[in-house]
Amino acid sequence: MGPVQSWTLPKAILDRFEDMSNSGGSWGPDGFLYLSGHDPAEIYKMMLPKAGSVLQLVEIVPMNIRGQGIAWDRSQPGVIYGIIRATAKERAAGIGHKVTVFRMVEKP
């Protein structure tokens, strides 16, 4: 069985990834797709296009992460987890990766 649907990312998001890639994504409880890049401390709230195949950027949300994966907590609405990847210097000092918890607040 092949893909049922597929979309592409808009150039504005690809530019933010620089020479890296999309590192994670998860459908939020609000029906939007949330994506993370490889390094930026932000996630991208996306929506499906009404027509065509390019996802639409709704909002860039600052989040205390260093890229990598994100995941919604399905038991606590509005709670999303992200990874703070340890830098080479931190790893050399014995500091490992961390998980951060972020509560998304809906805007009025």
Side-chain angles (χ1 to χ4, degrees):
M1 180 176 183
V4 176
Q5 293 182 330
S6 64
W7 305 278
T8 58
L9 296 172
K11 183 176 180 335
I13 296 299
L14 294 174
D15 289 346
R16 295 183 86 85
F17 291 168
E18 296 177 345
D19 62 346
M20 300 308 252
S21 63
N22 169 246
S23 287
S26 185
W27 290 100
D30 55 5
F32 291 97
L33 176 62
Y34 290 80
L35 303 174
S36 61
H38 194 271
D39 293 312
E42 56 195 22
I43 55 177
Y44 312 104
K45 182 177 180 181
M46 311 296 292
M47 65 183 268
L48 298 179
K50 291 182 175 46
S53 62
V54 180
L55 291 171
Q56 295 177 324
L57 175 62
V58 175
E59 181 180 6
I60 297 173
V61 181
M63 187 174 174
N64 184 25
I65 60 174
R66 284 191 193 131
Q68 306 303 304
I70 55 173
W72 287 96
D73 185 330
R74 302 297 176 195
S75 67
Q76 296 183 63
V79 172
I80 190 168
Y81 298 91
I83 296 172
I84 301 173
R85 187 182 68 254
T87 63
K89 185 177 180 180
E90 290 169 335
R91 286 192 307 274
I95 300 169
H97 307 304
K98 300 177 187 111
V99 173
T100 185
V101 181
F102 187 75
R103 182 170 299 277
M104 297 288 285
V105 178
E106 290 198 27
K107 295 181 179 181

